[in-house]
Amino acid sequence: MKKLFFIFLIPALYSFFFQHNPVTPEEKWVDSVFNSLSEDERIAQLMVVRMSAIDLQTRKITFYDQAVKEAVEKYNVGGICLFQGGPVTQANYINYFQSIAKTPILISIDAENGVGMRILDSVKGLPRQMMLGAMQDTQVVYEYGRWIGEQCKRMGIHVNYAPVVDVNNNPDNPVINDRSFGEDKYKVAQFGIQYMKGLQDAGVMACAKHFPGHGDVSVDSHHDLPLINKSREQLDSLELYPFREIFKAGIGSVMVAHLSVPVIDDRKNRPTSVSNKTITQLMREEMGYQGLTFTDALEMKAVAKYYPAGEIAVESLIAGNDMLCLPGDIPLSIKKVKEAVKKKKLTWDAVNNHVKRVLHAKYRYGLSEKQTINTNNLWQDLNRRNDEIRKMVTENAITVLRNDDAAGFPLPVSQNTRIAYLAVGISNDNAFAKRMRLDYNADVFYFNYREGTARIPSLVQLLKTRYDAVVTGIHNYARFPANNFGISAAAVQLVKEVQQQVHGVTFVFGNPYAIKNFCETKNIIACYEDEAITQDVAADLLCGEVVAKGRLPVTVCSDFRYGAGITTKLLPPVQPGTVGIGADKLQAIDSLANDAIQQHAAPGCVVLVAKDGKIAYYKAFGHYTYDSTEAVNPESVYDMASVTKICATTLAVMKLYDEGRLDLRKKLSDYLGWVKGSDKEDLVIHDILLHQARLKAWIPFYRETIDTISGVPFNGFYSKQAGPHYSIRVADNMYMQNGWTDTMYRRILQSPLEKPGQYIYSDNDFIFLGKIVESVTGMGLDEYVAKTFYRPLALTTTGFKPLERFTKNRIAPTENEKSFRQQLIRGDVHDPGAAMFGGVAGHAGLFSNAYDLAVIMQMLLNGGRMNGKKFISDSTIKLFTTYGSPISRRGLGFDKPEKDNAARKEPYPCLSASPQTFGHTGFTGTCAWADPQNNLIFIFLSNRVHPDGSNKLLRMNVRGNIHEAVYKALVR
């Protein structure tokens, strides 16, 4: 009985110590600062003042240093917002104002596309969000946000008013437009969350804007009050969706827009920014958001025209805002707030709650300690990664919308081909024109927007008679849609006539909505921005040196709707007969797959066969679940299970071995210091890769955290919400206590070793290998393989933690887990151990579609080459993929056919697989195999564990039978 008592007591104590926190250092600091403030200073802590402004006509910058100095010294304002001005000048001002401030100042900036958006004289800007919205890779969005966070951190900035999570569903929007990720609410939410994570991982508060959604307006709120006349159901289903998701994801702050939304608040001239129904009732109470709130700039006409100076501060606080951006007259605002308290329109309790929320934010972003910006090499540091990030975004975003004739794209370089470049909108060479001259020896013709139609007939005739192909570039047009983006009717006419009469291709450099002028164009590419790096990447695309990856983030016309884009396939589809496969014999695959589904071996599956670098068969069967509501398609994303071992961890190990950074004969303790002193320290990397290091097959880490009878987790180990102590997601509404990860590693170290000389297939082998990769590279395993392999290979689905990149309807569910997580697992890794490691582990956690897996396997068949790049040496691939052990069939990391396959009752993976074949299977019902002898790839993906962990797929040998059918279809 005593033993049982202590078993139940330990989780209870664990829960108490982690959930019942005494007064924290943060609370002590907040209380101390709050108690030092006078009533006037508390009100002033809620004010954010402007540092500078620019005259748009003269481009002259004015610093309001004396006004800011007075606001800091006399009133103790809480925040300063940076606008235009050089980095060193701004840094010196920030250092000075922080030095004279009684309370540390929260420094903010409105820098959606990098600090260069505001700092004009020496820091380059980054692509706007709509260009990001054309990408398919959320990791690039994270890196974009992370770099902007690092820029802000270097500049002493604590809050960046980004990302924009407005859904731009109005192409005539005069204020959001290309600042949005696009018109799809799911993508806006996903990309906004990744941008947010990047910023906040760099130690800078993100700010979602513009609540409750500024995307469907035709009036600029800088000049007047826009109206959104929608039903509540419409708002819930569209505008509010990204905010709801990013609130759940943990964003630090939100900015409230100046909008009239009658369905939320129908009072006349009552902008959302000063609406209690919007901020307190909808955002705080109904949506549950408790982070920091900022008003949009209170000097904007949408609100300033209805509320005079001072009154706007009162109305903002009554509405429930925390920080008031650019409220104007500080002393008058303080006076009006105090009067409102006296008149009981506002309470001191409400004001004090706002102040404490601001002080908590200051503590969390480092303002409890003195901060000084080092101005040495400041502008160089701020520019350090700008070109790299811009190029990465551009290579992922440029979108081929149409490619209808043979002289389109890519355009081969030939001495016998006469090429012209028609540069519309400019009068001098830019980077693209220079590349056209250099790459194609092209003649360049200019046509600016001031020219009329008189020159068009002769120019078209010249281009038609003298040149074999004409490349057209649309340049230098306005960002916003007024006056057709500044594109003249003559320019539109010229481009249309050239495209109708001359072979060629058109590149549109800027806001993609402008493509509405050219929807009939035969060959057209959306480039999103118009600067040198974008132009260089576009030239690379024209030459065929990079592949097209982007898809249109908005609908332009009926021909080019959201999601349009021709992506370049590294493995092109062909008729089976062209690669020596009998199409009629491949029909056996259909029969086997359909029979497996009918027998409930799996609810659905995807099969891909590639030969000689071309896809000969690629089909989807069945549904995600047995209720047949969601059909599987070739792009469906599956949990790879142990295929992770070869397509993530082993790839990484091979690369590090290739580079001389990892020695297979070294010991585990040479790379992981924390194993020293255990019986694991002398395990050899070579043996670990072969699964003969004597490690236990697996450890059920989760069992210590649950009642093994009921399957219900003990209190204290998991929380329904993510938080400072519970940040490890294991499933929906289930976050593990941070410290338990160390316990899991300790359990591996404490586990007994098996007898020597055995082959023991073990997850623990690859958990260790994943940690070695992280130790050697200084990156997470997921980050390293994405950067080194997946992005350069133009893979759009392969990666860990898919819910950060896709909506659930892209992902096949796995088991309906009755014990431990007690829910249907969909988008979280099926393997419980990998889930408890946060979804990233060396043995499991990877998700992918079939095509992307085939690209990885083809790269290995190609001797490490793919997409014009060399990833791994041929000798390393041969070392890892040949038989590596006298006691098993294994290669280094890879699985292989049984050595005596022909004599076996159940050959593995199938009878006809050559001895050179390498690959792996996965517990969830997946496999990936490559056969160098036949230059053949076989991919099978299923969720056979749905819904209850059935192993019927194994008993029926579905994968092996279909694999064998592929060999029988080969024309010998």
Side-chain angles (χ1 to χ4, degrees):
M1 180 62 72
K2 286 183 179 180
K3 184 175 181 182
L4 186 63
F5 171 78
F6 282 109
I7 288 174
F8 286 99
L9 177 63
I10 290 170
L13 290 173
Y14 194 89
S15 173
F16 175 82
F17 283 114
F18 279 102
Q19 293 187 332
H20 180 74
N21 294 318
V23 175
T24 63
E26 178 177 332
E27 290 169 333
K28 288 181 180 178
W29 184 86
V30 169
D31 288 344
S32 173
V33 174
F34 177 82
N35 291 331
S36 73
L37 301 174
S38 67
E39 289 182 347
D40 285 9
E41 288 175 330
R42 290 177 186 176
I43 297 169
Q45 277 295 295
L46 309 178
M47 310 285 181
V48 181
V49 297
R50 176 189 284 273
M51 173 87 89
S52 63
I54 187 170
D55 185 311
L56 296 178
Q57 300 298 321
T58 65
R59 310 302 290 173
K60 180 181 178 182
I61 296 169
T62 300
F63 278 92
Y64 302 122
D65 46 304
Q66 289 304 310
V68 175
K69 181 176 184 290
E70 180 180 352
V72 172
E73 285 188 320
K74 190 171 182 180
Y75 303 107
N76 196 25
V77 292
I80 295 174
C81 186
L82 306 186
F83 285 88
Q84 291 81 8
V88 174
T89 302
Q90 299 222 36
N92 286 331
Y93 276 130
I94 293 170
N95 285 339
Y96 173 66
F97 294 136
Q98 293 285 25
S99 74
I100 66 172
K102 174 182 175 181
T103 305
I105 304 166
L106 196 72
I107 307 298
S108 58
I109 192 170
D110 186 6
E112 301 153 13
N113 53 306
V115 297
M117 174 180 171
R118 294 296 178 191
I119 298 171
L120 300 181
D121 66 354
S122 56
V123 182
K124 299 176 182 178
L126 294 170
R128 296 182 182 88
Q129 284 188 199
M130 188 163 284
M131 188 173 194
L132 272 67
M135 303 189 304
Q136 308 306 301
D137 190 343
T138 55
Q139 183 63 28
V140 180
V141 184
Y142 173 85
E143 291 200 18
Y144 177 97
R146 180 68 184 246
W147 170 237
I148 293 175
E150 290 175 13
Q151 286 183 315
C152 290
K153 195 82 171 171
R154 181 68 179 87
M155 269 296 296
I157 296 165
H158 311 103
V159 183
N160 183 15
Y161 299 141
V164 173
V165 290
D166 302 311
V167 180
N168 200 81
N169 51 346
N170 184 344
D172 295 323
N173 192 317
V175 62
I176 302 302
N177 214 288
D178 67 355
R179 298 165 64 195
S180 167
F181 289 116
E183 70 179 45
D184 180 74
K185 66 179 181 180
Y186 299 110
K187 185 168 232 182
V188 169
Q190 289 173 343
F191 279 31
I193 289 168
Q194 288 305 304
Y195 188 144
M196 170 208 81
K197 287 183 176 180
L199 278 176
Q200 295 188 173
D201 284 354
V204 172
M205 181 186 284
C207 181
K209 62 184 185 186
H210 306 78
F211 186 85
H214 210 309
D216 195 5
V217 302
S218 54
V219 172
D220 187 343
S221 51
H222 291 85
H223 306 302
D224 208 338
L225 181 61
L227 171 67
I228 296 183
N229 202 7
K230 291 188 172 184
S231 70
R232 181 57 199 275
E233 290 75 19
Q234 288 173 313
L235 291 176
D236 281 340
S237 67
L238 187 66
E239 278 84 358
L240 291 175
Y241 177 83
F243 289 98
R244 192 177 295 114
E245 294 301 304
I246 206 165
F247 289 170
K248 288 191 293 187
I251 195 159
S253 63
V254 61
M255 177 173 281
V256 186
H258 307 313
L259 301 168
S260 174
V261 189
V263 74
I264 299 176
D265 194 333
D266 60 3
R267 289 175 290 175
K268 186 177 180 180
N269 298 328
R270 176 60 63 167
T272 46
S273 54
V274 290
S275 165
N276 182 274
K277 292 181 179 179
T278 302
I279 299 164
T280 300
Q281 294 180 31
L282 173 59
M283 183 169 64
R284 295 289 194 205
E285 295 173 2
E286 184 179 331
M287 298 179 72
Y289 182 68
Q290 299 304 317
L292 198 64
T293 64
F294 293 85
T295 67
D296 207 343
L298 295 175
E299 64 187 15
M300 293 165 65
K301 298 298 183 184
V303 65
K305 69 185 291 186
Y306 301 110
Y307 299 93
E311 284 300 321
I312 190 62
V314 173
E315 295 297 328
S316 297
L317 293 176
I318 291 173
N321 288 294
D322 296 315
M323 297 207 81
L324 317 182
C325 289
L326 317 185
D329 192 324
I330 300 295
L332 180 59
S333 297
I334 293 172
K335 177 184 176 183
K336 291 289 186 179
V337 170
K338 293 173 74 175
E339 288 176 359
V341 173
K342 286 183 181 180
K343 294 176 182 178
K344 297 186 179 180
K345 295 169 63 179
L346 190 63
T347 67
W348 276 116
D349 282 347
V351 172
N352 292 342
N353 285 337
H354 294 310
V355 175
K356 287 190 174 182
R357 193 179 275 124
V358 170
L359 293 176
H360 276 290
K362 289 186 176 183
Y363 182 90
R364 289 168 190 168
Y365 287 88
L367 281 165
S368 62
E369 304 291 336
K370 183 178 179 180
Q371 296 183 354
T372 303
I373 306 164
N374 180 357
T375 57
N376 291 334
N377 300 315
L378 180 58
W379 75 266
Q380 294 96 327
D381 292 343
L382 295 174
N383 279 296
R384 178 172 54 85
R385 292 192 66 199
N386 282 354
D387 288 354
E388 172 197 349
I389 296 292
R390 180 174 282 280
K391 185 176 183 183
M392 186 189 308
V393 170
T394 305
E395 288 181 343
N396 280 273
I398 286 186
T399 307
V400 177
L401 292 173
R402 184 179 288 137
N403 190 17
D404 279 355
D405 70 35
F409 146 135
L411 188 62
V413 177
S414 170
Q415 292 181 344
N416 300 320
T417 304
R418 298 167 299 170
I419 306 294
Y421 180 54
L422 176 59
V424 177
I426 59 175
S427 300
N428 296 289
D429 274 11
N430 57 16
F432 195 80
K434 291 174 183 175
R435 283 289 301 273
M436 290 302 301
R437 294 186 191 275
L438 178 66
D439 296 343
Y440 293 95
N441 194 28
D443 294 329
V444 178
F445 299 87
Y446 303 111
F447 191 95
N448 64 51
Y449 300 129
R450 296 185 301 276
E451 293 189 62
T453 59
R455 184 174 160 232
I456 292 177
S458 60
L459 181 54
V460 173
Q461 184 64 21
L462 174 66
L463 296 172
K464 180 180 178 181
T465 57
R466 187 174 295 181
Y467 297 97
D468 300 304
V470 175
V471 176
T472 302
I474 314 298
H475 294 283
N476 199 34
Y477 60 85
R479 287 177 54 203
F480 292 105
N483 301 314
N484 194 30
F485 301 91
I487 301 172
S488 67
V492 174
Q493 179 182 335
L494 171 64
V495 174
K496 287 183 176 180
E497 290 195 23
V498 168
Q499 274 287 317
Q500 287 168 2
Q501 300 185 47
V502 188
H503 290 301
V505 58
T506 298
F507 289 81
V508 184
F509 292 95
N511 189 322
Y513 282 120
I515 293 171
K516 67 182 182 179
N517 293 288
F518 313 108
C519 284
E520 298 81 21
T521 300
K522 296 174 187 173
N523 309 302
I524 189 165
I525 290 93
C527 299
Y528 302 99
E529 303 229 351
D530 191 18
E531 52 74 55
I533 291 176
T534 304
Q535 292 165 16
D536 266 330
V537 173
D540 289 342
L541 189 73
L542 182 64
C543 297
E545 293 177 8
V546 298
V547 299
K549 304 177 189 176
R551 293 189 180 275
L552 203 59
V554 291
T555 294
V556 171
C557 57
S558 59
D559 286 350
F560 301 141
R561 306 194 68 82
Y562 168 81
I566 302 168
T567 55
T568 306
K569 291 293 186 183
L570 297 175
L571 301 179
V574 296
Q575 291 300 315
T578 64
V579 289
I581 298 179
D584 55 335
K585 293 184 179 180
L586 285 176
Q587 292 177 7
I589 296 177
D590 299 49
S591 299
L592 290 165
N594 286 322
D595 180 61
I597 293 166
Q598 190 174 17
Q599 297 293 328
H600 277 207
C605 63
V606 177
V607 182
L608 184 150
V609 178
K611 191 172 187 303
D612 301 335
K614 300 176 178 65
I615 295 175
Y617 182 96
Y618 191 8
K619 283 190 181 181
F621 300 88
H623 297 80
Y624 285 153
T625 58
Y626 288 112
D627 59 15
S628 302
T629 56
E630 296 176 276
V632 178
N633 64 78
E635 293 298 310
S636 295
V637 174
Y638 281 86
D639 182 333
M640 294 295 99
S642 285
V643 175
T644 303
K645 292 180 171 77
I646 63 165
C647 289
T649 313
T650 301
L651 281 184
V653 169
M654 293 166 76
K655 183 69 172 178
L656 297 176
Y657 170 79
D658 225 16
E659 295 173 340
R661 300 167 70 188
L662 181 62
D663 187 337
L664 303 186
R665 297 297 172 184
K666 282 194 172 183
K667 299 174 181 178
L668 193 59
S669 57
D670 290 324
Y671 297 101
L672 301 177
W674 50 273
V675 308
K676 291 180 179 178
S678 75
D679 60 359
K680 313 299 185 297
E681 66 177 349
D682 290 331
L683 299 182
V684 177
I685 308 303
H686 183 270
D687 293 338
I688 293 173
L689 281 162
L690 291 172
H691 292 283
Q692 54 191 48
R694 303 163 54 204
L695 290 164
K696 286 184 71 68
W698 73 295
I699 299 173
F701 302 110
Y702 70 95
R703 287 185 185 165
E704 286 188 71
T705 72
I706 67 171
D707 180 328
T708 54
I709 297 174
S710 67
V712 177
F714 292 126
N715 289 335
F717 286 100
Y718 304 95
S719 169
K720 289 184 178 180
Q721 291 86 33
H725 302 298
Y726 295 87
S727 64
I728 301 169
R729 178 189 168 101
V730 296
D732 276 346
N733 303 314
M734 191 172 181
Y735 296 86
M736 191 178 79
Q737 204 282 322
N738 298 347
W740 198 250
T741 303
D742 290 339
T743 302
M744 292 160 64
Y745 289 123
R746 192 158 59 249
R747 294 293 181 265
I748 299 175
L749 294 181
Q750 292 169 344
S751 64
L753 292 174
E754 305 290 351
K755 293 179 181 179
Q758 296 185 77
Y759 159 61
I760 302 165
Y761 177 72
S762 171
D763 288 342
N764 293 314
D765 286 317
F766 274 76
I767 292 172
F768 275 134
L769 289 169
K771 298 309 293 182
I772 288 173
V773 171
E774 295 182 346
S775 175
V776 173
T777 65
M779 294 185 235
L781 174 64
D782 55 337
E783 182 185 0
Y784 178 72
V785 289
K787 181 178 181 180
T788 309
F789 296 101
Y790 306 155
R791 286 202 294 278
L793 284 169
L795 308 185
T796 59
T797 64
T798 306
F800 295 82
K801 297 188 284 191
L803 290 175
E804 295 183 354
R805 298 175 287 124
F806 309 111
T807 53
K808 282 187 177 180
N809 62 1
R810 286 285 305 276
I811 307 166
T814 52
E815 191 169 355
N816 189 8
E817 200 170 75
K818 303 300 183 185
S819 183
F820 180 38
R821 288 175 282 185
Q822 300 182 313
Q823 60 184 274
L824 176 65
I825 306 302
R826 187 170 191 179
D828 292 293
V829 58
H830 176 263
D831 182 90
M836 295 172 76
F837 282 119
V840 180
H843 69 295
L846 195 68
F847 286 71
S848 182
N849 68 6
Y851 173 82
D852 283 0
L853 278 190
V855 171
I856 292 173
M857 302 306 283
Q858 188 65 51
M859 179 270 290
L860 296 172
L861 283 182
N862 291 351
R865 291 189 177 277
M866 199 74 176
N867 195 20
K869 299 178 177 68
K870 181 71 173 177
F871 292 90
I872 305 172
S873 71
D874 186 48
S875 60
T876 294
I877 293 171
K878 288 178 180 176
L879 173 66
F880 276 71
T881 60
T882 54
Y883 290 110
S885 171
I887 63 172
S888 79
R889 65 173 188 255
R890 308 295 300 202
L892 293 171
F894 289 92
D895 202 356
K896 290 185 63 62
E898 293 288 0
K899 295 175 182 176
D900 57 348
N901 238 357
R904 285 186 171 252
K905 182 179 179 182
E906 293 185 1
Y908 178 85
C910 68
L911 177 62
S912 300
S914 79
Q916 287 89 357
T917 299
F918 58 88
H920 218 285
T921 58
F923 183 83
T924 50
T926 60
C927 71
W929 292 100
D931 182 349
Q933 180 174 304
N934 293 286
N935 202 7
L936 183 71
I937 291 169
F938 171 66
I939 309 292
F940 180 93
L941 303 183
S942 77
N943 54 337
R944 64 98 183 167
V945 293
H946 179 81
D948 55 8
S950 167
N951 65 356
K952 199 167 187 179
L953 188 94
L954 284 71
R955 294 199 307 269
M956 292 176 62
N957 193 28
V958 173
R959 287 173 287 193
N961 290 339
I962 293 178
H963 198 178
E964 183 64 23
V966 174
Y967 279 101
K968 288 180 178 177
L970 296 180
V971 178
R972 303 292 184 176

